[in-house]
Amino acid sequence: MKYYLAIDIGASSGRHIIGWQEDGALRTEEVYRFKNGVTERDGHLTWDIDRLEREVRAGIDTALGRYPRIESLSVDTWGVDYVLLRGDRPVLPCYAYRDSRTEVSIPRVHEIIPFPELYARTGIQFQTFNTIYQLYADKLSGRLEGATGYLMMPEYLMWRLCGGRQESFTGLHEYTIATTTGLVNARTGEFDLEIIRRLGLPEELFTGLSQPGTVVGEYKGIRVVLCPTHDTASAVEGIPMETDAAGSGEGELFLSSGTWSLLGAKLQEAVTTPESLEANFSNEGGVGYIRCLKNIMGMWMVNNLREELCPGEDFSAITESAGASAYQGLVDVTAQRFMAPESMSGEICRALEESGYTAPESPGDYFRCAYRSLARCYGESVRVLEGLTGRRYSKLYIVGGGAKNQYLNRLTEEETGLKVVALPIEATALGNLNSQITAQKSIKCSAAEAVH
């Protein structure tokens, strides 16, 4: 039996999952879980990368305690965030994407390269936290001076496992997560050097991109392999969709429902039309295809409401209270105001009052508003996506924590008009593991060819 280890880290938690193939199916076991979250430092939101590394190593040790022989491991995380490096040392602090430091850099970037041009080149939707704005904020603050490299979060963690030496930067820039930077050309699939030069970013930081399946080193006798390191890219690889990127088969969409909701389709080419720009759709890299998708606030809003209004309450009770409410107010869940408010309930209340709704009177009213607003946004996004792609869709696969929410799934089916297939599976870990298994088969084939 061959065992593989997927290390899947989200904004609120991380998990180590062992996978193996048995009776024609991929079996999994979670062996380690830890909490994650941003920390405030000097008025900024940051990641504690040292603690993350310790948790990653501790989880590997736990996995090895149960499965002494592990063929390979890989790490996936959220996109856009990175660690700057000077030689072998990280430049601290490591800022989190919800930090507000890009407020100054965004207009400066757009003065040099207007956003419509950026979008035409990269296909990446405007988000205040896109890596391009974070790196330009680093330039304005002087943090890029003396920088010898930068690695996206999962790349950094794997680099540390493989020894953390400057000469081993090469090969660690993975394609799927690189596309979340807003610096990869949608047509060539490589870093867009014209953008990088015009912004005056250090060109030497942007080396060639590697595809999932690339072996980058070894840790405790375990091969370290690049999976689709952006967690959404791995999640889509873990969904048993019947439609390929060319559109053959029944029209199908995916929805990765977690802290963020990412709703989209597999396509052969990026959609970078003015209509797509206006709709703020993104074109991120997949494994042999483009994920044309909409980033939506997701369960972030619900989770914040829970912390404020009923800490620790079970979600079944929360959805029951939402279902019992008759509140009709709706908000725009894509609005920047909900990114990191001091009070989510207060911000929702203000948004509702500005739209002419009466204020919610109970926790159930707030949760009903959040769930209905999410479902309404899903429906609107499906209709826009059909217009952008010229296709009709009939099925929506939902994975992630939100797939377990039957109340939201019912609302989503009503708003989208699609058949909802809820898969309460660890789709991200499955995609991570599948890429490792594919890489292992490729290595074996190469070894066999070398013998012959």
Side-chain angles (χ1 to χ4, degrees):
M1 195 76 70
K2 294 185 182 296
Y3 298 98
Y4 306 85
L5 176 60
I7 304 171
D8 171 32
I9 306 175
S12 59
S13 67
R15 59 210 64 82
H16 290 57
I17 296 176
I18 287 286
W20 67 94
Q21 290 182 309
E22 184 178 346
D23 298 329
L26 179 58
R27 313 290 184 185
T28 62
E29 179 189 351
E30 182 181 300
V31 295
Y32 191 80
R33 179 177 284 262
F34 61 92
K35 290 185 178 180
N36 190 27
V38 297
T39 57
E40 188 167 335
R41 176 176 173 178
D42 299 327
H44 289 280
L45 300 178
T46 67
W47 299 110
D48 186 344
I49 57 174
D50 290 336
R51 189 185 72 82
L52 273 176
E53 183 184 340
R54 288 195 299 271
E55 295 284 11
V56 166
R57 292 180 186 268
I60 296 172
D61 288 343
T62 299
L64 284 170
R66 298 191 193 182
Y67 299 91
R69 293 194 62 183
I70 298 174
E71 295 293 319
S72 64
L73 66 82
S74 193
V75 182
D76 66 76
T77 76
W78 64 98
V80 306
D81 285 343
Y82 58 91
V83 181
L84 271 181
L85 296 156
R86 292 193 185 108
D88 298 345
R89 300 181 65 82
V91 178
L92 298 178
C94 175
Y95 291 106
Y97 64 88
R98 291 191 189 275
D99 186 68
S100 61
R101 70 193 181 110
T102 60
E103 290 177 357
V104 174
S105 64
I106 290 171
R108 298 283 293 274
V109 168
H110 292 170
E111 285 175 8
I112 299 168
I113 310 176
F115 182 71
E117 182 182 352
L118 279 177
Y119 186 83
R121 299 184 72 88
T122 68
I124 297 301
Q125 75 177 112
F126 173 73
Q127 299 274 21
T128 59
F129 48 70
N130 286 349
T131 313
I132 184 173
Y133 306 124
Q134 294 199 53
L135 282 169
Y136 204 78
D138 284 335
K139 177 185 175 179
L140 294 176
S141 67
R143 276 167 51 95
L144 287 183
E145 293 177 10
T148 56
Y150 92 98
L151 295 171
M152 304 298 282
M153 195 64 69
E155 300 165 351
Y156 172 77
L157 292 169
M158 285 187 278
W159 174 72
R160 290 289 298 167
L161 292 177
C162 295
R165 294 181 299 276
Q166 181 176 348
E167 58 269 23
S168 59
F169 289 168
T170 304
L172 270 170
H173 286 296
E174 189 271 321
Y175 167 67
T176 68
I177 201 162
T179 62
T180 72
T181 64
L183 292 165
V184 173
N185 188 286
R187 305 303 172 197
T188 67
E190 296 290 343
F191 282 120
D192 192 316
L193 294 182
E194 181 175 340
I195 293 175
I196 290 162
R197 289 165 184 158
R198 286 167 65 180
L199 294 179
L201 301 176
E203 192 172 329
E204 62 273 16
L205 302 187
F206 304 94
T207 57
L209 299 178
S210 298
Q211 293 295 321
T214 302
V215 177
V216 294
E218 188 175 287
Y219 177 69
K220 292 191 173 183
I222 306 171
R223 187 180 292 115
V224 179
V225 179
L226 295 179
C227 66
T229 61
H230 184 209
D231 53 9
T232 308
S234 270
V236 173
E237 281 298 290
I239 301 173
M241 297 179 72
E242 299 171 7
T243 305
D244 60 23
S248 62
E250 184 183 31
E252 300 172 335
L253 300 174
F254 60 81
L255 173 60
S256 179
S257 178
T259 303
W260 284 91
S261 289
L262 300 110
L263 188 153
K266 293 181 180 180
L267 301 179
Q268 286 185 306
E269 295 181 349
V271 181
T272 59
T273 60
E275 292 78 13
S276 181
L277 165 65
E278 183 178 358
N280 209 26
F281 267 70
S282 210
N283 295 270
E284 298 175 355
V287 184
Y289 51 85
I290 294 293
R291 292 174 290 114
C292 182
L293 54 83
K294 180 79 169 180
N295 277 284
I296 302 166
M297 194 67 71
M299 302 305 287
W300 165 256
M301 183 176 285
V302 174
N303 293 340
N304 274 261
L305 285 175
R306 181 194 188 200
E307 289 180 13
E308 290 180 25
L309 304 178
C310 49
E313 186 162 329
D314 189 81
F315 273 108
S316 62
I318 287 173
T319 55
E320 185 177 343
S321 70
S325 167
Y327 188 72
Q328 295 299 305
L330 295 167
V331 296
D332 176 7
V333 296
T334 66
Q336 181 66 24
R337 65 193 304 165
F338 301 122
M339 178 68 67
E342 291 185 10
S343 167
M344 184 63 77
S345 60
E347 200 63 49
I348 288 175
C349 192
R350 283 187 287 275
L352 287 165
E353 290 176 346
E354 289 169 13
S355 298
Y357 293 107
T358 58
E361 296 180 354
S362 68
D365 290 351
Y366 278 102
F367 287 113
R368 176 175 165 84
C369 170
Y371 284 129
R372 289 186 65 239
S373 297
L374 276 173
R376 178 66 58 87
C377 188
Y378 297 160
E380 292 170 351
S381 298
V382 167
R383 289 183 281 277
V384 171
L385 187 55
E386 288 182 331
L388 294 176
T389 62
R391 298 184 188 176
R392 297 288 294 175
Y393 298 96
S394 59
K395 188 182 294 185
L396 175 65
Y397 291 93
I398 304 180
V399 295
K404 302 174 185 177
N405 192 317
Q406 295 181 3
Y407 175 69
L408 179 56
N409 292 343
R410 177 171 62 78
L411 292 176
T412 299
E413 198 160 60
E414 292 172 0
E415 290 289 344
T416 63
L418 306 181
K419 178 183 179 182
V420 166
V421 180
L423 300 172
I425 58 175
E426 290 279 3
T428 304
L430 292 177
N432 181 323
L433 291 166
N434 279 328
S435 71
Q436 294 184 56
I437 294 169
T438 300
Q440 174 71 14
K441 292 176 180 177
S442 177
I443 292 168
K444 287 180 65 176
C445 289
S446 297
E449 289 173 3
V451 170
H452 294 292

